[in-house]
Amino acid sequence: MERPAWAPQGIDISVPSVSRIYDYYLGGSHNFEVDREAAREAMRFMPGLPKVMQANRAFMRRAVRFAVDEGITQFLDIGSGIPTFGNVHEVAQSANPEARVLYVDHDPVAVAHSHAVLEGNGRAGIAAADLRKPQDILSAAEDSQLLDPSRPVALLLVAVLHFVEDQDDPYTAVATLRDALAPGSLLVLTHAAYEGIPLSEEEAGGTVGVYRNIKNPLVMRSREEVTGFFDGFEVLEPGVVSMPLWRPEGEADQEDPYAFSGFAGVGRKA
Ligand SMILES: C[S@@+](CC[C@H](N)C(=O)[O-])C[C@H]1O[C@@H](n2cnc3c(N)ncnc32)[C@H](O)[C@@H]1O
């Protein structure tokens, strides 16, 4: 397989990656045939997967605008993915040009492409780090000098916690990050769940199997388990809900039954 110029040296382009599969669902061009095959296989079980991803992105943009309206000027976006239309820095900086964004991902393609997209933007950066090692993320944030830890930050964990298995202790990772945040900081998250998917659990389970096969298991969690990530935060209205129901801005937000898969929420640290 030929390696395109944007693919960093050292990555195995014969193994599908979560970020490149997601890029494919969103209509991006930073993916390989192995990724497209895995994505198509997952869509055999859940044909509406791209709609889920679009609802996820739409929620994220609304939540970023909400954070800016709340006076937040700093964003830490973990599991940020391959940059695509309507990235956090674009939404935040168009609402407030002073907004600063640190992206974090452990996928080399996401990191390389983010570097390319952010070149020349003095208020946004990318760090390669793993959510399972939250101390590494805090060190990277300090090194970046982009975020002032004494002031509130919006911590985005959007469509990433469902890739952290229980054995890797996702609740402790979130708590470690929370403890480093100033009061008034926000936690913005989405999470995959069987709830809301317009299919039986058995049918939707085929998609989970595809991610298991590519050694990036997708962990479905219940509303209660997802709400548990907000420990130490006050969950803001309307609570932990389907993505289109979180402060919708227009009818288009509520168009497709697949968009109601999984959960979204925003919490504030006291
Ligand atoms: C489905 S994408 C979500 C991208 C973006 N947050 C969004 O919602 O549009 C998940 C991203 O999380 C990243 N990811 C998965 N596990 C991670 C981990 N343990 N640490 C850092 N990033 C991770 C993947 O590489 C991928 O880019």
Side-chain angles (χ1 to χ4, degrees):
M1 196 186 315
E2 189 138 329
R3 175 188 300 274
W6 52 261
Q9 291 295 326
I11 62 160
D12 184 351
I13 59 177
S14 66
V15 177
S17 113
V18 160
S19 65
R20 298 191 316 249
I21 292 173
Y22 184 70
D23 178 69
Y24 173 73
Y25 291 141
L26 288 173
S29 55
H30 290 81
N31 48 71
F32 303 119
E33 189 48 34
V34 279
D35 306 309
R36 296 189 282 275
E37 255 169 42
R40 284 192 292 259
E41 178 67 5
M43 284 168 65
R44 269 202 319 117
F45 299 100
M46 268 183 77
L49 271 174
K51 288 287 172 201
V52 182
M53 310 309 166
Q54 285 158 19
N56 177 66
R57 296 288 296 182
F59 159 77
M60 188 183 79
R61 291 192 285 267
R62 295 198 302 282
V64 168
R65 285 193 289 270
F66 169 79
V68 173
D69 287 347
E70 292 278 293
I72 301 255
T73 59
Q74 318 189 87
F75 295 81
L76 176 58
D77 181 3
I78 302 175
S80 47
I82 294 170
T84 179
F85 169 74
N87 292 300
V88 170
H89 74 284
E90 291 162 339
V91 178
Q93 291 177 348
S94 78
N96 179 352
E98 297 295 312
R100 291 169 174 270
V101 181
L102 178 62
Y103 292 111
V104 175
D105 207 289
H106 71 168
D107 180 286
V109 171
V111 172
H113 193 46
S114 301
H115 272 303
V117 166
L118 297 174
E119 208 179 305
N121 189 328
R123 293 194 173 89
I126 169 82
D130 195 311
L131 177 54
R132 291 167 295 187
K133 295 182 181 160
Q135 290 296 352
D136 289 1
I137 294 182
L138 295 174
S139 304
E142 198 178 334
D143 293 347
S144 75
Q145 299 191 339
L146 275 168
L147 310 179
D148 172 357
S150 69
R151 291 179 36 246
V153 168
L155 168 63
L156 273 67
L157 294 171
V158 180
V160 62
L161 278 166
H162 47 233
F163 293 114
V164 182
E165 294 178 272
D166 288 344
Q167 70 206 43
D168 290 320
D169 222 351
Y171 292 94
T172 304
V174 176
T176 304
L177 296 167
R178 175 200 66 211
D179 289 348
L181 297 176
S185 293
L186 299 178
L187 171 62
V188 174
L189 70 76
T190 61
H191 201 294
Y194 283 116
E195 277 108 315
I197 298 178
L199 297 171
S200 72
E201 201 165 307
E202 200 180 15
E203 289 166 311
T207 294
V208 174
V210 171
Y211 283 90
R212 194 185 312 119
N213 290 342
I214 65 164
K215 308 267 182 297
N216 267 295
L218 176 61
V219 187
M220 304 299 236
R221 293 194 172 96
S222 66
R223 187 197 294 265
E224 202 183 341
E225 288 166 327
V226 174
T227 304
F229 287 116
F230 287 100
D231 186 36
F233 293 87
E234 176 206 352
V235 178
L236 303 181
E237 287 299 320
V240 175
V241 294
S242 303
M243 296 180 288
L245 300 183
W246 197 90
R247 304 187 187 221
E249 287 174 359
E251 277 172 32
D253 276 332
Q254 312 217 11
E255 244 170 27
D256 193 286
Y258 271 98
F260 290 81
S261 312
F263 292 115
V266 176
R268 186 189 286 117
K269 183 175 167 176

